[in-house]
Amino acid sequence: MDNPEMQRFLQQEQQKAMMNEMVGKLTSVCWDKCITSAPGSKFSSGESTCLTNCAQRFLDMSVMIAKRFEMK
């Protein structure tokens, strides 16, 4: 493929797909870990804290893994 514009477009679309997949995985993992009962109209403070911490750890780990692959 010699078209640089098309290559950039495809790369952007791949990045979007990876991001959507990561958000879906994060949501699934953190929901299962933090939400132990049927949610009401709001999360409890414990659930909210757990979701925040879980999401942050997930993102930190994703960045660490991405950096590790960049080095190779």
Side-chain angles (χ1 to χ4, degrees):
M1 192 180 308
D2 292 332
N3 186 337
E5 190 173 319
M6 180 59 83
Q7 288 177 343
R8 275 193 302 277
F9 173 77
L10 291 174
Q11 185 177 18
Q12 288 172 344
E13 290 302 307
Q14 286 176 326
Q15 288 173 345
K16 287 179 191 177
M18 286 177 18
M19 185 61 97
N20 286 337
E21 183 179 338
M22 186 169 68
V23 168
K25 179 79 171 166
L26 182 150
T27 301
S28 176
V29 167
C30 293
W31 184 272
D32 291 345
K33 176 180 174 48
C34 299
I35 308 302
T36 57
S37 62
S41 61
K42 290 179 19 174
F43 294 124
S44 71
S45 64
E47 290 170 332
S48 183
T49 299
C50 180
L51 288 168
T52 300
N53 290 336
C54 180
Q56 188 60 55
R57 284 193 308 273
F58 188 93
L59 293 173
D60 289 345
M61 185 61 66
S62 297
V63 168
M64 187 176 84
I65 291 168
K67 285 182 180 179
R68 175 77 46 109
F69 281 115
E70 284 178 3
M71 298 171 85
K72 293 184 177 190

